Amino acid sequence: MKNSFSKDGKTLLLHAYLQNDIQKDDYKSALQDAIRKLSQVNIPDDLTIKYFGPVAVNDAFRVMTFEDTKILAPLFLAILTFVLLFIFRSFKTLAIIYFSMGLSVITPFAFTGLLGYPLGNLSGMIPNIIMSISLASTVHILVTYKQFLKNDTHPKSALRKAAEKNLAPIFFTSLTTFIGFLSLTQSNILPIRTFGILTAVGTLASFLICFCFTVPFLLITKIDHKSLVPTPDSEPLPRGYSEKCLSFYKKYRLILICIFSGLFILGSYCISQNEVNSNPLHYFDRSHPLRKTYDGLKRSFTSIEGPEVIIKVPEKMTPAILKTLRQIERDVLNIDPDANTTLYSPLSFLGSNPTYFMSERVPNSYYDKKTNSWRMTVLTKYDDSKNALNFIKKLEYILQKTPFESIVTGKSNLHHRLNEEIVDTFVYSLGFALAFISFLLFAYLKNFLLALLALIPNIFPLASIGIALYILGRPLDIGVALVGSVSFGIAVDDTFHFLINFKRAKNLGHTTYESLHQCLQNTGQALIFTTFALTLGMGIFSFANFIPNQNFGILMITNLTIALLCDLILLPAILLKRVQ
């Protein structure tokens, strides 16, 4: 048949289908049994068999998720152990941090077992994300505790002061992060919705564990603070450093604001120009065996993937009906001359004699006599979502003009139609997070102008997504859809810490200039450290095999770094406008 042999005659493409009556629980075992039987076939040494198609893709996703988790989680812990030991020089402190992170990670997965939520390809990202969030909260408690412990001989008094100082900032930052993740539940894509629920539960758990476990545990654990090297918040930045920064910001305030505004406009334009591509085969790195097989098939065959069409036909086949079906096939083949369309249907196998459809020679995967369903497999050269969806729309238009009831289906059709869902997830989740966090900022700060200013340095980093995607030449995908609301919910944490300290200084009667000086001097190092911890935990995904995970890691590094720069440069520059 056409398209069964490659253009050079060296490759044969065979289509195999599992029976429709296989139960869901037996699907995996039936697949494994089919592969086992194929492997037992006596194949000459000069022939090679490679498996491809939706079933192989699904299985590769499962294996790749497990492999990424198995490699990246230990790598993250190894790097984190080295960094924490270098900073704290205390195994007891390290044990407290890891125990808190462990409890925070276990909680959402116990939640999934309790409610029966399925784990998908994005589940492998959850442990590192929750560990990063838990680490940031726990470290704030520990370093503040050590700061007070150096000036207070009674550990209980020092711990109480540390808890009181951090309760409001950590509560609000945990709440904004929780909202960022929870906004993903607005998505109609089940893996994203499940990811949002589990990470939101983990974020809430990390806050509760921080104050219900870490703080009480420190009462019964003696930490030798004298052996510690200076840590974030325990030693402020030199006064001259913060004064030089503020003088620079004040002098070049308008230039700095214009630079950030220009980057925001550029990033917004890049986002508008990015294409959405939800082809799952592009989620594999080019070095992956399945991606190599896919790329090889594209070079060897004119068309290898496309939608499926199911047509309800009359029970009794007549030459007139077959003529109409033949015309439908001709119209489908002529939809797009550039698509290199190939079509498989009962007519492709048995010709146009109606008596054939009453015999056992009809493959039940293409003609179901029980439901009178006629199946067409339409293959094209298009593997990107934009062209594939345009072809599908034209195909649906042709089918609407036929006298038969029909539907366009298939894995390829399903994957490409995820485009709209990915865009909706990106927009709606970000909008939900933006609205709720804006309300939260106003409710706490009780100052509309200050709340508005707090949003500016957190909206600007979102534009960096577009610039990074443009530079990398990557389209919008599931990983990118996660970044918007998640990074916004996390990035606003630093702004909360900065503005809470700023507001506290203002309430004590300090000027705007002096308040900003205290924030940079006493809070700047802590913000840098927590951003480093978060980018380490989430940036590790840039080394994943799963392309959406790579995109998530790269964009989170970019977004959180830009957010830190905005908090330490742009936000003070804007607030300095109030200096008289």
Side-chain angles (χ1 to χ4, degrees):
M1 288 190 304
K2 181 182 178 182
N3 210 48
S4 292
F5 281 95
S6 61
K7 292 175 286 189
D8 58 8
K10 296 181 179 181
T11 305
L12 173 65
L13 186 62
L14 297 178
H15 296 265
Y17 302 92
L18 294 176
Q19 297 178 4
N20 294 333
D21 57 353
I22 294 178
Q23 298 298 317
K24 182 179 180 180
D25 295 338
D26 297 330
Y27 185 84
K28 185 177 179 180
S29 60
L31 172 63
Q32 292 175 342
D33 184 59
I35 294 176
R36 179 182 57 81
K37 290 179 179 179
L38 284 172
S39 64
Q40 293 175 350
V41 176
N42 187 19
I43 302 173
D45 295 336
D46 57 344
L47 293 182
T48 303
I49 291 182
K50 294 183 178 181
Y51 302 103
F52 181 73
V55 175
V57 171
N58 291 341
D59 189 60
F61 276 150
R62 179 186 59 81
V63 173
M64 190 165 54
T65 300
F66 175 76
E67 291 295 328
D68 278 351
T69 304
K70 186 173 66 173
I71 295 173
L72 297 180
L75 179 62
F76 168 66
L77 291 175
I79 298 175
L80 185 62
T81 300
F82 175 79
V83 173
L84 291 176
L85 282 177
F86 177 78
I87 292 175
F88 291 106
R89 308 287 176 87
S90 171
F91 284 99
K92 287 184 179 179
T93 303
L94 189 66
I96 293 173
I97 292 173
Y98 276 162
F99 200 82
S100 299
M101 289 194 304
L103 288 177
S104 300
V105 170
I106 290 173
T107 302
F109 287 101
F111 186 76
T112 62
L114 182 65
L115 298 183
Y117 282 125
L119 297 178
N121 299 323
L122 300 176
S123 303
M125 303 170 65
I126 296 175
N128 282 25
I129 293 174
I130 300 303
M131 283 191 289
S132 302
I133 294 171
S134 174
L135 174 66
S137 300
T138 305
V139 165
H140 269 292
I141 290 290
L142 287 171
V143 296
T144 310
Y145 172 52
K146 289 171 217 167
Q147 177 185 358
F148 286 115
L149 199 59
K150 290 182 178 181
N151 302 316
D152 198 321
T153 57
H154 201 290
K156 186 175 181 179
S157 175
L159 187 60
R160 187 190 72 252
K161 292 178 181 178
E164 289 175 351
K165 180 181 178 181
N166 285 285
L167 179 60
I170 293 179
F171 170 74
F172 280 105
T173 55
S174 297
L175 185 57
T176 56
T177 305
F178 173 82
I179 293 168
F181 285 126
L182 197 65
S183 66
L184 296 174
T185 59
Q186 305 297 311
S187 175
N188 291 322
I189 304 174
L190 181 59
I192 292 182
R193 191 162 65 243
T194 303
F195 174 87
I197 293 172
L198 297 186
T199 46
V201 170
T203 301
L204 179 61
S206 68
F207 169 76
L208 295 175
I209 290 168
C210 181
F211 283 93
C212 298
F213 164 76
T214 305
V215 173
F217 192 74
L218 287 172
L219 283 175
I220 59 175
T221 305
K222 295 182 179 180
I223 298 178
D224 184 12
H225 64 276
K226 295 180 181 180
S227 63
L228 298 176
V229 297
T231 56
D233 264 357
S234 62
E235 294 289 341
L237 288 171
R239 182 177 180 87
Y241 179 82
S242 58
E243 287 182 345
K244 287 180 180 178
C245 289
L246 286 174
S247 298
F248 179 82
Y249 299 160
K250 184 178 180 181
K251 183 177 181 181
Y252 299 103
R253 183 180 68 250
L254 293 178
I255 295 177
L256 291 173
I257 293 174
C258 289
I259 290 174
F260 279 97
S261 300
L263 291 174
F264 176 77
I265 295 172
L266 176 62
S268 301
Y269 172 77
C270 290
I271 289 178
S272 68
Q273 298 301 307
N274 275 119
E275 291 187 0
V276 185
N277 189 8
S278 54
N279 187 340
L281 290 163
H282 292 176
Y283 292 170
F284 294 93
D285 190 80
R286 291 189 179 276
S287 61
H288 192 278
L290 192 67
R291 180 64 184 270
K292 288 182 177 179
T293 301
Y294 172 67
D295 291 339
L297 287 173
K298 284 203 303 181
R299 290 190 297 268
S300 300
F301 293 88
T302 56
S303 50
I304 59 172
E305 62 178 311
E308 304 281 348
V309 178
I310 303 298
I311 301 176
K312 291 286 187 179
V313 297
E315 182 175 356
K316 184 178 180 180
M317 278 291 179
T318 64
I321 294 175
L322 288 173
K323 183 178 180 181
T324 303
L325 291 171
R326 176 64 76 181
Q327 184 59 48
I328 293 173
E329 292 187 1
R330 291 195 189 97
D331 293 340
V332 171
L333 289 171
N334 293 324
I335 286 178
D336 185 351
D338 297 327
N340 295 331
T341 309
T342 301
L343 190 147
Y344 293 138
S345 74
L347 294 179
S348 305
F349 292 99
L350 301 174
S352 57
N353 191 332
T355 60
Y356 285 161
F357 295 93
M358 302 302 294
S359 69
E360 296 299 325
R361 295 175 58 188
V362 182
N364 58 11
S365 57
Y366 277 90
Y367 181 66
D368 187 355
K369 288 178 285 188
K370 295 180 181 179
T371 59
N372 297 314
S373 299
W374 176 293
R375 173 181 178 179
M376 288 194 305
T377 300
V378 184
L379 304 180
T380 72
K381 72 173 185 180
Y382 297 134
D383 63 345
D384 64 292
S385 295
K386 181 180 179 180
N387 286 314
L389 287 173
N390 286 335
F391 183 90
I392 290 172
K393 289 179 180 178
K394 294 176 182 178
L395 174 61
E396 290 176 331
Y397 177 75
I398 289 176
L399 294 174
Q400 288 175 357
K401 297 189 296 182
T402 67
F404 308 120
E405 180 184 351
S406 61
I407 184 172
V408 178
T409 182
K411 286 291 182 68
S412 177
N413 175 61
L414 176 63
H415 291 148
H416 290 303
R417 287 192 185 277
L418 284 177
N419 277 10
E420 295 179 0
E421 297 296 339
I422 289 174
V423 173
D424 288 348
T425 296
F426 184 83
V427 174
Y428 293 149
S429 63
L430 182 58
F432 177 83
L434 181 63
F436 204 102
I437 292 174
S438 300
F439 170 78
L440 192 64
L441 282 167
F442 177 74
Y444 178 76
L445 296 173
K446 295 182 176 61
N447 186 314
F448 179 78
L449 178 59
L450 201 58
L452 182 63
L453 294 176
L455 286 176
I456 293 175
N458 294 288
I459 295 176
F460 273 55
L462 294 175
S464 66
I465 295 175
I467 298 175
L469 289 176
Y470 180 81
I471 294 174
L472 295 172
R474 297 190 177 186
L476 291 170
D477 59 22
I478 290 179
V480 178
L482 297 175
V483 171
S485 58
V486 172
S487 62
F488 180 76
I490 294 176
V492 78
D493 295 358
D494 286 349
T495 307
F496 253 113
H497 278 283
F498 192 95
L499 286 177
I500 285 173
N501 286 285
F502 176 79
K503 184 182 179 184
R504 186 178 295 159
K506 289 285 289 182
N507 290 339
L508 292 175
H510 295 292
T511 64
T512 300
Y513 188 93
E514 184 62 28
S515 298
L516 287 173
H517 162 69
Q518 291 189 17
C519 288
L520 290 175
Q521 188 178 31
N522 299 319
T523 309
Q525 283 185 330
L527 298 186
I528 294 172
F529 180 80
T530 52
T531 299
F532 172 76
L534 290 169
T535 52
L536 174 64
M538 300 187 189
I540 202 77
F541 292 109
S542 58
F543 299 100
N545 291 313
F546 192 44
I547 297 297
N549 286 3
Q550 288 184 16
N551 292 340
F552 180 83
I554 293 170
L555 294 178
M556 286 301 292
I557 291 176
T558 304
N559 204 288
L560 293 178
T561 302
I562 297 297
L564 177 65
L565 294 177
C566 286
D567 284 322
L568 297 182
I569 298 176
L570 179 62
L571 183 58
I574 295 174
L575 291 173
L576 277 171
K577 185 178 181 181
R578 302 179 65 187
V579 178
Q580 302 298 327

